[in-house]
Amino acid sequence: MFLLPLTGGLIGKLDRSDSWFGDYRAIACGAQKVMENGRLYDMGLHCKGFDKTAVYVYLPVVAEATAEIVERVGQQGLLFLHIVLYGLSLCVLLGGVYLPTFNRLSLMQKIPFAAFLTGSAISWGNVAVVCHALILLTALSAKRFPWLFVGAVVLCGIIKPVFLTYLIVLLLLDIPVWKRVSWFSAGAIAGVAPTLWFAAQDTALSQQWEATLSYFVYELTPGDSFYGWLDLIGISADNPFAALGWALYAGLMTLSGISLAEGLKLDARSRIWLGLSLGVLLIPRLMSQDFFLIGVGLVIIALNTHTLESANRSVRFIADRGQTVLTTICVFALIGGAVDLGDYTTRIATLALSLYVLALGGLTFTQRYGDILGCLFPLKTNLLKAPQ
């Protein structure tokens, strides 16, 4: 039942050639424009040999790097490489999430979150799928090789800066706080620098890029998370107040994640999965291809919060029946998609998931703040406890 949006969507697109690999066509056409010195940011982007092309929205460096590959292997070679890499990425994501080997959770505990995956998540051929897979692979060894994970996030951040939200994984690792902050800061600075540098040039090309990106992000498809929530109440995300609101939301989610990781004494693998799920929820413009990693970390929370206590019956129910709460949210998203209300119900569902994290993160901190602070700052805590 939960796989119906994905399988039904794919079947419905089998006879529609314009629904397949649209993002690939945009990048391949962008590479062609670079080789021809043509206009890269064009709402009517078209290249010879492509029936229909989506609009190119990435930084010029992505098209330039792709052009280097095309010059060596040609467009057919690029298509072959893309199909192979895309197929492997899907195997990594689906296998990593749904096989119990990687997270010790049963299929039935995780399958409800498949309700968020639509046919477009696979058929559009978005480069985001490759990035999510790369981030997952490197995240699983982030405690031993944080530099590898940071490198993967920075690389994907150059393509789409929103992937920098995955750096929250570093803040949840069970390593000294100074190392967490250092790796996080290094990744954030390195990841955002290329985009800021290009935008700061204020050239005709950068202005065209900003205009194209703003149209798609803020007007046409604000997505199913923070920007989508604002859109539901008629507020555009294209203003400083929206950015400030997202920063506040991201900060609270990060603090909740740290409280849950330390207060529930999660092991290293569970912390990584929690960070990945929160990284997805923190993406301000969630699209269909961004939902692969959303569920595992939330299930881990649900399985570990039953030890929390509260006099409030509603909070008590959320802590005790976490999987029931999560499955209900997924069913809500599933039904909404079935009756063609997915543009509204998916956004409400992601908001509910975020509120779930914030509620349990706050509850965990209020009950176990001593343990949490002791884990984060062991030396300082021990000194405070020392006899006078």
Side-chain angles (χ1 to χ4, degrees):
M1 179 179 69
F2 289 111
L3 287 170
L4 282 176
L6 179 62
T7 55
L10 288 175
I11 293 172
K13 291 177 171 61
L14 287 178
D15 60 343
R16 295 171 54 190
S17 60
D18 60 338
S19 297
W20 291 86
F21 293 133
D23 191 65
Y24 161 78
R25 294 197 302 270
I27 294 176
C29 185
Q32 192 69 35
K33 292 298 182 182
V34 168
M35 296 167 64
E36 298 171 350
N37 293 319
R39 182 181 173 86
L40 186 58
Y41 299 106
D42 186 348
M43 291 297 183
L45 186 67
H46 179 74
C47 290
K48 184 178 180 180
F50 294 92
D51 294 334
K52 187 176 181 180
T53 306
V55 177
Y56 182 84
V57 296
Y58 305 111
L59 290 177
V61 67
V62 177
E64 291 167 359
T66 307
E68 293 289 334
I69 300 175
V70 172
E71 288 180 345
R72 288 167 173 76
V73 301
Q75 287 287 6
Q76 291 301 315
L78 178 67
L79 177 59
F80 174 77
L81 291 175
H82 176 77
I83 291 175
V84 171
L85 186 59
Y86 194 73
L88 290 174
S89 298
L90 286 173
C91 291
V92 168
L93 288 172
L94 297 176
V97 170
Y98 295 108
L99 293 180
T101 306
F102 298 98
N103 46 55
R104 301 189 296 275
L105 300 178
S106 71
L107 177 64
M108 293 305 293
Q109 290 173 316
K110 298 172 290 188
I111 199 64
F113 288 91
F116 289 98
L117 295 174
T118 64
S120 299
I122 293 179
S123 66
W124 195 240
N126 200 291
V127 68
V129 172
V130 178
C131 287
H132 287 301
L134 178 62
I135 288 172
L136 172 60
L137 279 176
T138 55
L140 294 177
S141 59
K143 183 179 179 181
R144 293 184 60 192
F145 307 108
W147 57 270
L148 189 61
F149 174 70
V150 170
V153 174
V154 169
L155 177 62
C156 294
I158 294 173
I159 299 173
K160 289 187 176 184
V162 293
F163 285 121
L164 297 178
T165 59
Y166 277 121
L167 291 173
I168 190 178
V169 171
L170 298 166
L171 297 177
L172 304 188
L173 294 178
D174 52 342
I175 59 177
V177 173
W178 70 269
K179 287 187 177 181
R180 304 187 199 186
V181 176
S182 297
W183 282 115
F184 176 87
S185 301
I189 293 171
V192 78
T195 301
L196 292 180
W197 178 81
F198 176 66
Q201 294 183 42
D202 198 27
T203 61
L205 186 63
S206 65
Q207 292 173 4
Q208 293 167 8
W209 168 74
E210 288 184 23
T212 303
L213 191 66
S214 296
Y215 170 72
F216 281 95
V217 170
Y218 301 123
E219 297 182 38
L220 186 63
T221 52
D224 294 318
S225 52
F226 189 81
Y227 290 168
W229 306 338
L230 294 180
D231 185 66
L232 278 179
I233 56 178
I235 299 176
S236 172
D238 189 15
N239 63 78
F241 296 104
L244 182 62
W246 179 84
L248 177 61
Y249 161 72
L252 292 174
M253 288 287 284
T254 300
L255 292 175
S256 294
I258 294 173
S259 295
L260 290 165
E262 304 296 348
L264 300 177
K265 294 178 169 51
L266 300 181
D267 59 33
R269 183 58 59 90
S270 296
R271 289 166 179 257
I272 290 170
W273 279 108
L274 174 58
L276 291 171
S277 292
L278 297 188
V280 172
L281 285 172
L282 287 177
I283 294 176
R285 179 180 176 258
L286 264 179
M287 303 301 290
S288 59
Q289 62 274 356
D290 297 319
F291 281 101
F292 287 96
L293 302 177
I294 196 173
V296 176
L298 300 180
V299 175
I300 288 172
I301 295 175
L303 295 176
N304 286 275
T305 51
H306 63 276
T307 57
L308 299 175
E309 300 177 358
S310 175
N312 187 294
R313 295 182 63 181
S314 298
V315 176
R316 176 75 264 161
F317 179 84
I318 293 174
D320 281 345
R321 299 288 184 268
Q323 284 221 262
T324 300
V325 173
L326 294 176
T327 303
T328 301
I329 294 172
C330 293
V331 170
F332 176 76
L334 180 69
I335 294 174
V339 297
D340 203 24
L341 291 174
D343 288 344
Y344 303 98
T345 54
T346 303
R347 297 175 181 181
I348 296 172
T350 58
L351 176 59
L353 293 176
S354 297
L355 293 175
Y356 174 79
V357 173
L358 292 171
L360 291 181
L363 179 63
T364 303
F365 182 79
T366 56
Q367 292 190 8
R368 301 180 180 178
Y369 62 88
D371 294 337
I372 294 170
L373 295 176
C375 292
L376 294 174
F377 310 104
L379 180 60
K380 188 173 182 179
T381 304
N382 290 334
L383 289 174
L384 290 174
K385 290 181 179 179
Q388 300 297 322

